Amino acid sequence: MIRPVIPLLTAALLFGLGTYGVLRRRNAVLVLMSVELMLNAVNLVLVTGDVLRPKVTGQVFTLFVIVLAAAEVGVGLALVLRLFRLRRDINLDQVPLDEEPEPDPAPAPVLDEEPTR
Amino acid sequence: MTLLDVALAVAGLLAVAGGVAVVSTKQLVRAGLWLVVALGAVAVEFLLLGAEFAAWVQVLIYVGAVVVLLLFAVMLTRAPIGPSPDLDRPLLPALLVGAAAGLGLAGLFAAAFGRLTVPAPGAGTAQKLGTAIFDDWVLPFEVLSVLLLAALVGAIVLSRRESTR
């Protein structure tokens, strides 16, 4: 016999931690890591739900969520790298949401140069 | 409390501890490594709940690919080695919303499932899962493959250099 409340409580706490991290962190990569925590909490709830019933629908959805998370992280990191290349900074606080990007940056400050390591 | 319950509780504590470290550490690379702890503990919970295939996919995709990708991003954005002072926003709103979400959900689950015990799950088989995917969920499965392709193309387009225009 097992108590399904144990993994469910774990999932609830992980989700809360993920929410906290998304709101608390300023660095874009850390925000993505917190999103991964939230997605894992959801996966844990889905897998726990399968213990209660004979079907395995929850595990099917867990696999789907894992694939979605992989896609999300791929595109998200491409966005983060793009942001870093544009602004030399991935602080989410400092992304100007109301600023139109310049159509053709004539001096081309950072776009054309190889990032020096 | 059976042995399985104790194992689930230990893995859960490990996952939550890893999660706390991910959202509170001052060092970027260590956040990625703590994420491995949290995700690995969740994979252990999957194993204990009889979801072997989901557990190994979790290890392969999450610990193997996603965390490596995140660490790549940390390195490519030239994160400093050592503590960074400016990683955090103000504490109060985040704490409020995070605690409300986490403790609220925990209370809900405890109230709904607190006394429930179910028979321990037997050894899961990938066969059952494969039958379910390719019988009932085959259309979402195919749509998901198209979505992965779209994400792949999108990531390539986004990370192309501007100067190649």
Side-chain angles (χ1 to χ4, degrees):
Chain A
M1 302 297 277
I2 66 165
R3 291 173 178 278
V5 73
I6 297 172
L8 287 176
L9 284 182
T10 307
L13 293 179
L14 272 182
F15 191 86
L17 281 171
T19 318
Y20 169 81
V22 167
L23 293 173
R24 171 89 159 137
R25 293 303 205 174
R26 183 172 278 157
N27 186 297
V29 179
L30 286 176
V31 170
L32 277 175
M33 287 185 194
S34 305
V35 171
E36 300 305 317
L37 280 184
M38 293 163 82
L39 286 170
N40 251 270
V42 172
N43 283 346
L44 194 49
V45 172
L46 286 171
V47 169
T48 309
D50 272 355
V51 179
L52 311 179
R53 302 178 318 124
K55 297 187 86 169
V56 289
T57 316
Q59 289 179 42
V60 174
F61 271 83
T62 299
L63 292 182
F64 287 174
V65 170
I66 289 177
V67 173
L68 283 175
E72 166 249 332
V73 123
V75 177
L77 290 182
L79 283 171
V80 167
L81 289 184
R82 181 64 174 247
L83 183 67
F84 180 75
R85 217 185 285 153
L86 279 173
R87 304 188 64 83
R88 280 290 178 261
D89 192 14
I90 53 170
N91 264 1
L92 291 180
D93 281 0
Q94 301 183 357
V95 181
L97 294 178
D98 52 352
E99 177 186 286
E100 285 289 318
E102 293 174 29
D104 184 23
V110 290
L111 289 181
D112 287 339
E113 79 180 23
E114 286 288 320
T116 50
R117 308 250 349 164
Chain B
M1 292 287 273
T2 59
L3 190 64
L4 204 52
D5 279 339
V6 176
L8 276 172
V10 168
L13 278 181
L14 204 59
V16 171
V20 168
V22 168
V23 297
S24 65
T25 179
K26 290 278 167 217
Q27 308 200 18
L28 271 168
V29 179
R30 287 193 190 170
L33 298 178
W34 281 115
L35 193 62
V36 172
V37 173
L39 299 181
V42 172
V44 171
E45 296 231 334
F46 285 179
L47 272 181
L48 294 172
L49 290 168
E52 282 99 338
F53 190 69
W56 295 122
V57 169
Q58 162 106 349
V59 169
L60 280 176
I61 308 274
Y62 259 115
V63 181
V66 169
V67 171
V68 169
L69 214 58
L70 284 167
L71 286 177
F72 261 125
V74 167
M75 310 272 172
L76 282 175
T77 51
R78 260 179 262 165
I81 303 298
S84 318
D86 60 339
L87 291 179
D88 290 343
R89 281 202 193 93
L91 172 67
L92 189 64
L95 194 64
L96 221 57
V97 177
L103 298 181
L105 277 173
L108 188 70
F109 284 144
F113 297 101
R115 307 193 165 279
L116 185 68
T117 57
V118 294
T125 57
Q127 186 188 4
K128 240 167 111 184
L129 191 58
T131 310
I133 287 182
F134 291 108
D135 275 354
D136 300 338
W137 301 100
V138 66
L139 185 64
F141 182 81
E142 297 295 339
V143 171
L144 212 55
S145 64
V146 177
L147 178 124
L148 266 183
L149 180 67
L152 181 69
V153 174
I156 291 174
V157 169
L158 275 174
S159 51
R160 241 176 28 154
R161 291 195 177 282
E162 289 284 315
S163 54
T164 57
R165 263 183 312 189

